Amino acid sequence: MYLPKLEQFHKYKEMDEGVLGIFDTPEAIMHAAEKTKAKDYIGFDCILPYPVHGIDEAMGTPRSGLPWVTFFAGIFGCTIGILFQYLTHAHDWPLNISGKSLNAWFAYVPIIFELTVFSAGIYTVAALCFLSGIPKATRRILHPDLTSHKFGLWIPKSAKGYNESDVVSFVKSLGGSEVIVVKPENQK
Amino acid sequence: MSLTQAVRDKLDIPDLVTGGKSLKDVTVDIAKPNEDFPTKLWWNTFLLVLTITLIDVAIIGYLFYEGLYLLGINNPVGWGFFVVNFVFWIGIGHAGTLISAVLYLFRQGWRTGINRAAEAMTIFAVLVAASNLILHVGRPWLGFWLFPYPNERGPLWVNFRSPLIWDTFAVSTYLSISMVFWYLGLIPDLATLRDRATETWRKNLYNILAFGWVGSARAWSHLEIVSMILAALSTPLVLSVHTIVSFDFAVSILPGWHTTIFPPYFVAGAIFSGFAMVVTLMVIAREVFNLKNYITMKHLDNMNKIMMVTGLIVGLAYGTEFFIAWYSGNEYEGFAFWNRAFGPYGWAYFIMISCNVLSPQVFWFRKLRYNIPVMFVASLVVNVGMWFERFVIMMTLNRDFLPSSWAMYTPTLFDYAMLIGTFGIFFTLFLLWCRIMPVIAIAEVKTVMPQKEGAHH
């Protein structure tokens, strides 16, 4: 049976201190991610201008668990839709309109459907925002080209076995075009 | 997408981004209209549509100060232009969701060039439609009564068995899900604009709009899944919205409205008019913003094909309605349709048939599908035709069960002002949007570029 696992809800981590390697092609970042994973720098991340397919496997991050949120939020919305219409119409304020049945559940279907979709969609997006750390207007931007045409490999200080000079030489060995050591004090 | 370039060439599969662009070129080209000072053409068009909008707002104010008697509505034609406009604009919105959601689920790479503009079109069209829905109730300041809320009039709840309440729920759900879908897709592109910005005010503006997106692979992995979920949720949603709009008519007992064909017929009509509007906007956008390498002839060709197919479906629906009216042997149903085609509003019926059924037939020919002026005119004609389709349906009311109560509906200047005003509001919002946000999904286009084939598994 397919069950949700905690690691599927991987979170974005704030970037304060670490080493950033910049690469020019998606192939290069893919290769770099595989090497970094093999090196066991747990907690590293890639920064991409667009979703590069296959990077999740290369980095070893599991598939996102957000469909679980959608599933349960959908059931919640559906239940609210049924209960709300039944309780207001047949229980709280029964009104006989043109002799229609008080619990005319066929007529409730459109609103049950809409509430299911609404709840499923909105809660999933809320979960996405929570896991991706957005919105946050005061976030540090490591390099302006990373949202345009360059690819970044980020190894934070918190990664297991982090040693600045080792990490720098490791990232250089991956063939990146630039290696930047990021410190909180040189924040722009 | 996973085919190699050699195979693509052999199979004659056209590139979705032409002109041998690099990743950086894509960013620069698409961000250009947002970073440059607006052109004279933009200013002129914007001032024109803004004037129309402001006049419209003033007229709406006057209309509700005086009362709805200024409109052409009467008894039996209690539904006038407001409801025609409502159904028309909500239909326009549908192509946006279809392009972004249905084509996403079917892994159609060509949607990336046009989805962003189509989604924006959806939002603005649904806003215009919702405003017509609120206005048509006559006392728009009491529009909030449509929502169930604990109120001071005792525990008096809205009637969930009424299609008007279904509309409220359907339209507001559609609007919110479409907005969320559209904005989520925009966040990475707004981050691109933020990182490119040189002026401080621009940087601050996009910094707020981009929500602090950096492009982390972990966040991308969640975003991709959520895009797919929202696409999967929007697909039945878009069908449900226009189905519910058709229930406004179909759950009544009026001959000509009380038919089971209404939901699929309305949905097909909505896709048809929506695609026509997308073609109109895309033809203009690719010229004005110089985006011919991103909105290629292949994109327009595909949209023309969809327009032709949905045009045929709509044509089939018109025929089926007539056939069933005759085959059912119901004389009231039969009269309603005879009256549509040969009654006092027969001219509108034939405008509808020629615009919706005959004009898209030009797209059988490849040469005409690739001809910009032809498709531009055809898309405008289809929009006129689809507006008339809703008008024809509404005019079924003019001859109801009792000949003694028959009456004609003559729109007044206020009706026409409301109609023109909807276009004013729509284009004002659309033009403003084109200025501050990218018209093409920058990140998504990059995923279908031919030069990055090697990046796939």
Side-chain angles (χ1 to χ4, degrees), chain B residues 55-66:
Chain B
I55 293 172
D56 185 51
V57 170
I59 292 177
I60 289 174
Y62 181 69
L63 187 65
F64 288 104
Y65 177 73
E66 276 292 310

Side-chain angles (χ1 to χ4, degrees), chain A residues 10 12 44-48 50 64 66 70 88-89 92-93 95 101 107 114 118 125 134 136-137 139 147-148, chain B residues 27 155-158 160-161 176 180 192 195 207 211-212 214-218 220 222 229 237 240 446 452:
Chain A
H10 42 78
Y12 167 81
F44 80 96
D45 206 337
C46 296
I47 304 170
L48 315 164
Y50 60 86
S64 167
L66 287 177
T70 318
T88 54
H89 266 190
D92 191 40
W93 193 253
L95 269 186
S101 153
E114 299 301 331
F118 180 80
V125 171
I134 56 173
K136 186 176 187 203
R139 181 155 285 149
T147 49
S148 169
Chain B
T27 315
L156 181 59
W157 298 101
V158 289
F160 289 115
R161 289 166 288 189
S176 30
V180 164
T192 308
D195 294 351
N207 191 28
F211 280 8
V214 284
S216 142
R218 291 164 196 275
W220 270 120
H222 289 308
I229 290 171
L237 183 64
S240 86
K446 286 173 186 164
K452 55 160 294 293

Side-chain angles (χ1 to χ4, degrees), chain A residues 8-13 15 24 26-27 30 42-57 59 61-67 70 84-85 87-89 92-93 95-97 100-104 106-108 110-111 113-122 124-125 128-129 131-151, chain B residues 1 22-25 27-28 148-149 153-163 165-167 169-174 176-177 180-181 184 187-189 191-196 203 207-208 210-226 228-230 233-241 244 247 442-448 451-457:
Chain A
Q8 286 184 297
F9 297 89
H10 42 78
K11 275 183 80 173
Y12 167 81
K13 294 196 180 63
M15 301 182 166
D24 292 335
E27 291 85 348
M30 198 82 120
I42 294 164
F44 80 96
D45 206 337
C46 296
I47 304 170
L48 315 164
Y50 60 86
V52 174
H53 287 196
I55 195 91
D56 292 353
E57 291 86 351
M59 283 171 64
T61 33
R63 194 182 130 91
S64 167
L66 287 177
T70 318
F84 190 50
Q85 293 182 86
L87 291 176
T88 54
H89 266 190
D92 191 40
W93 193 253
L95 269 186
N96 188 342
I97 298 169
K100 288 177 192 166
S101 153
L102 288 177
N103 182 28
F106 291 120
Y108 299 162
I111 292 179
F113 174 79
E114 299 301 331
L115 285 176
T116 308
V117 169
F118 180 80
S119 162
I122 297 300
T124 312
V125 171
L128 164 85
C129 290
L131 295 177
S132 309
I134 56 173
K136 186 176 187 203
T138 54
R139 181 155 285 149
R140 180 170 191 177
I141 308 304
L142 296 175
H143 195 286
D145 287 346
L146 293 178
T147 49
S148 169
H149 55 279
K150 296 273 171 91
F151 303 81
Chain B
M1 279 201 293
S22 69
L23 291 175
K24 190 175 183 184
D25 295 338
T27 315
V28 173
Y149 67 102
R153 294 183 297 280
L156 181 59
W157 298 101
V158 289
N159 181 14
F160 289 115
R161 289 166 288 189
S162 153
I165 301 301
W166 302 350
D167 270 344
F169 274 81
V171 173
S172 42
T173 303
Y174 186 42
S176 30
I177 296 288
V180 164
F181 196 11
L184 270 188
I187 289 174
D189 293 356
T192 308
L193 291 175
R194 170 198 65 200
D195 294 351
R196 285 176 54 80
K203 213 173 185 67
N207 191 28
I208 293 166
F211 280 8
W213 177 264
V214 284
S216 142
R218 291 164 196 275
W220 270 120
S221 128
H222 289 308
L223 185 71
E224 280 233 286
I225 288 277
V226 171
M228 202 176 68
I229 290 171
L230 287 180
L233 289 174
S234 310
T235 304
L237 183 64
V238 72
L239 301 181
S240 86
V241 173
I244 289 172
F247 284 165
I442 302 177
E444 288 184 46
V445 164
K446 286 173 186 164
T447 62
V448 296
Q451 55 263 52
K452 55 160 294 293
E453 296 298 342
H456 288 281
H457 319 260

Side-chain angles (χ1 to χ4, degrees), chain B residues 95-284:
Chain B
T97 318
L98 276 162
I99 288 173
S100 50
V102 180
L103 299 182
Y104 187 96
L105 291 181
F106 285 110
R107 301 284 183 270
Q108 294 296 306
W110 63 272
R111 63 179 270 288
T112 52
I114 49 173
N115 70 330
R116 176 60 47 73
E119 284 166 26
M121 180 191 85
T122 297
I123 310 284
F124 305 139
V126 175
L127 281 175
V128 171
S131 70
N132 276 280
L133 184 69
I134 300 288
L135 293 179
H136 103 289
V137 298
R139 295 187 203 171
W141 53 93
L142 298 179
F144 66 95
W145 285 7
L146 289 167
F147 289 97
Y149 67 102
N151 52 65
E152 72 281 14
R153 294 183 297 280
L156 181 59
W157 298 101
V158 289
N159 181 14
F160 289 115
R161 289 166 288 189
S162 153
L164 187 62
I165 301 301
W166 302 350
D167 270 344
T168 310
F169 274 81
V171 173
S172 42
T173 303
Y174 186 42
L175 182 64
S176 30
I177 296 288
S178 306
M179 274 183 119
V180 164
F181 196 11
W182 169 73
Y183 203 80
L184 270 188
L186 265 170
I187 289 174
D189 293 356
L190 292 167
T192 308
L193 291 175
R194 170 198 65 200
D195 294 351
R196 285 176 54 80
T198 42
E199 301 100 324
T200 317
W201 70 267
R202 197 187 284 279
K203 213 173 185 67
N204 288 337
L205 172 73
Y206 287 120
N207 191 28
I208 293 166
L209 291 177
F211 280 8
W213 177 264
V214 284
S216 142
R218 291 164 196 275
W220 270 120
S221 128
H222 289 308
L223 185 71
E224 280 233 286
I225 288 277
V226 171
S227 302
M228 202 176 68
I229 290 171
L230 287 180
L233 289 174
S234 310
T235 304
L237 183 64
V238 72
L239 301 181
S240 86
V241 173
H242 224 70
T243 299
I244 289 172
V245 169
S246 83
F247 284 165
D248 290 349
F249 302 86
V251 302
S252 71
I253 50 160
L254 199 77
W257 284 8
H258 187 60
T259 53
T260 48
I261 199 179
F262 259 44
Y265 159 44
F266 267 50
V267 171
I271 300 166
F272 183 47
S273 62
F275 268 88
M277 189 60 106
V278 180
V279 170
T280 314
L281 293 175
M282 289 301 100
V283 165
I284 299 172

